[in-house]
């Protein structure tokens, strides 16, 4: 996964901020049930705004854990308790159905079920509600308009589940109505309360290192970029002014503090590292890109490189020489690792 090839120039520049703002306008609550056996279930519930987790709680525990100071939006303590009760009651009913219909629905203990409920805001107006169920990590049904609909990949299991779930017409309607109502109000409150957090800009730190050698006479250069916010960023390996198309980028991964992290890799011939640099463009830098040069001692990474490059050359040269000179001999065991 880390080596997902991403064409270098397809970068989330420009328009990036609006994309990020869009990401922030999806609110969801995910309930994860691990059903070990007929009588034993673990439940973990989390609330997310876009890709940011804002709350967490365990079933039957007395309270939510707030992960952001604004994660109650503009809801009072009383309203939050009502939301929690609604979620717990719904989960309770759902779990009960799972247990009593387990064999009919071909659910074999132990298994995991996830229920996702949420709402989405487009252009500040249209609200889309969703309610979906996943079995063993893959979504198999969703609630649409006023009934449960199976996904194709859910097969017979999803069809059977929908058939039963759709019998609870009143329950479905009431829950749906309450969620829709509450969700959009809650989301609007969150977006307002958390505004300062989403609009913040945090500058990345960047450094260079080498990864495991991709092959004889080759080096894997790694440009690490961490601690930035918002998510859109461009990281490019350059030779002079020329972007290096051969570079590969990792997924953008979250740090624990809500900022982001990524790596960009370049596989180069060990003798052709001159003129290479890693260029980082991010909205927090206000046009002042970070440029790390391989051959200018501006970072700790270079010390590693300064040691690694000659060492790799020396070792591969040595291996080559030994292989040539010793072809008719049994190589001593210590040299095997150099092949
Ligand atoms: C159910 O699973 C739990 C946890 O694995 C175990 O402690 C318990 O004895 C099991 N109960 C039954 C009835 O098998």
């Amino acid at each position: 996964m880390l080596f997902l090839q991403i064409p270098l120039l397809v970068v989330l520049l420009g328009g990036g901020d609006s994309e990020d703002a869009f990401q922030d306008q999806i609110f969801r609550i995910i309930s994860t049930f691990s059903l070990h056996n007929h009588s034993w279930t673990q439940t973990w519930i989390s609330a997310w705004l876009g890709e940011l987790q804002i709350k967490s709680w365990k079933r039957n525990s007395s309270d939510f854990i707030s992960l952001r100071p604004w994660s109650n939006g503009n809801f009072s303590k009383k309203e939050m308790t009502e939301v929690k009760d609604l979620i717990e009651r719904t989960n309770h009913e759902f779990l009960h159905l799972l247990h009593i219909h387990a064999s009919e629905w071909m659910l074999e203990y132990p298994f995991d079920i996830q229920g996702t409920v949420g709402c989405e805001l487009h252009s500040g107006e249209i609200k889309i509600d969703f309610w979906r169920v996943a079995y063993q990590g893959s979504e198999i049904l969703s609630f649409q308009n006023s009934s449960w609909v199976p996904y194709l990949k859910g097969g017979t299991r999803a069809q059977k589940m929908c058939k039963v779930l759709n019998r609870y017409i009143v329950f479905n309607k009431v829950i749906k109505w309450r969620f829709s109502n509450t969700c959009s109000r809650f989301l609007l409150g969150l977006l307002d309360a958390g505004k300062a957090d989403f609009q913040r800009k945090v500058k990345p730190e960047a450094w260079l290192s080498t990864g495991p050698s991709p092959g004889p006479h080759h080096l894997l250069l790694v440009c690490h970029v961490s601690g930035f916010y918002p998510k859109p960023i461009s990281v490019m390996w350059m030779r002079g002014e020329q972007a290096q198309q051969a570079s590969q980028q990792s997924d953008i991964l979250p740090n624990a503090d809500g900022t982001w992290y990524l790596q960009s890799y370049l596989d180069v011939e060990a003798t052709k590292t001159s003129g290479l640099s890693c260029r980082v463009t991010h909205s927090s830098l206000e046009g002042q890109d970070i440029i790390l040069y391989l051959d200018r001692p501006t970072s700790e990474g270079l010390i590693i490189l300064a040691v690694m490059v000659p060492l790799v050359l020396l070792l591969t040269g040595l291996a080559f020489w030994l292989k040539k000179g010793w072809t008719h001999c049994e190589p001593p065991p210590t040299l095997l690792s150099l092949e």
Side-chain angles (χ1 to χ4, degrees), residues 86-270:
L86 176 64
I87 292 162
E88 292 200 334
R89 235 172 330 120
T90 313
N91 282 348
H92 180 80
E93 294 295 328
F94 186 57
L95 260 182
H96 178 67
L97 288 176
L98 283 174
H99 279 304
I100 59 175
H101 293 284
S103 64
E104 181 189 345
W105 292 345
M106 302 170 293
L107 307 169
E108 275 176 41
Y109 294 103
F111 60 92
D112 286 329
I113 291 273
Q114 266 185 334
T116 304
V117 62
C119 52
E120 206 171 310
L121 211 67
H122 284 295
S123 341
E125 279 184 34
I126 312 151
K127 289 147 199 127
I128 300 173
D129 300 292
F130 50 86
W131 197 4
R132 294 189 291 257
V133 173
Y135 171 69
Q136 304 290 53
S138 119
E139 289 191 334
I140 58 169
L141 40 127
S142 71
F143 195 77
Q144 287 170 20
N145 300 323
S146 55
S147 61
W148 288 95
V149 180
Y151 290 163
L152 205 56
K153 64 180 173 191
T156 342
R157 173 181 291 119
Q159 288 169 10
K160 290 185 174 185
M161 288 176 84
C162 287
K163 208 166 160 190
V164 173
L165 291 173
N166 283 332
R167 279 188 219 141
Y168 299 86
I169 296 168
V170 178
F171 178 75
N172 286 334
K173 284 206 164 144
V174 170
I175 294 290
K176 162 82 175 157
W177 179 79
R178 287 204 57 191
F179 267 127
S180 302
N181 238 333
T182 316
C183 193
S184 47
R185 257 189 330 119
F186 187 64
L187 175 55
L188 286 172
L190 271 185
L191 291 174
D192 191 45
K195 208 186 295 171
D197 223 357
F198 313 131
Q199 289 174 353
R200 78 193 195 279
K201 296 212 185 282
V202 187
K203 288 184 186 179
E205 276 183 50
W207 65 97
L208 304 176
S209 75
T210 52
S213 172
H217 310 290
H218 274 249
L219 283 175
L220 185 66
L221 304 176
V222 189
C223 181
H224 306 253
V225 184
S226 184
F228 55 91
Y229 189 92
K231 195 176 181 183
I233 193 162
S234 151
V235 179
M236 287 188 218
W237 276 102
M238 314 282 292
R239 191 184 298 276
E241 287 302 306
Q242 187 104 44
Q244 299 299 290
Q245 302 295 339
S247 97
Q248 295 179 311
Q249 191 172 294
S250 70
D251 291 332
I252 302 182
L253 302 169
N255 283 323
D257 63 359
T259 62
W260 297 97
Y261 172 73
L262 72 78
Q263 296 177 337
S264 177
Y265 310 91
L266 187 66
D267 175 351
V268 284
E269 283 182 44

Side-chain angles (χ1 to χ4, degrees), residues 238-312:
M238 314 282 292
R239 191 184 298 276
E241 287 302 306
Q242 187 104 44
Q244 299 299 290
Q245 302 295 339
S247 97
Q248 295 179 311
Q249 191 172 294
S250 70
D251 291 332
I252 302 182
L253 302 169
N255 283 323
D257 63 359
T259 62
W260 297 97
Y261 172 73
L262 72 78
Q263 296 177 337
S264 177
Y265 310 91
L266 187 66
D267 175 351
V268 284
E269 283 182 44
T271 50
K272 296 194 174 155
T273 56
S274 86
L276 285 174
S277 63
C278 173
R279 177 177 216 137
V280 182
T281 309
H282 186 255
S283 56
S284 64
L285 299 169
E286 293 168 353
Q288 305 286 308
D289 293 358
I290 295 176
I291 303 175
L292 298 176
Y293 294 95
L294 259 191
D295 43 12
R296 269 187 235 165
T298 51
S299 121
E300 284 168 43
L302 293 183
I303 298 166
I304 301 171
L305 275 179
V307 176
M308 284 301 292
V309 174
L311 194 66
V312 167

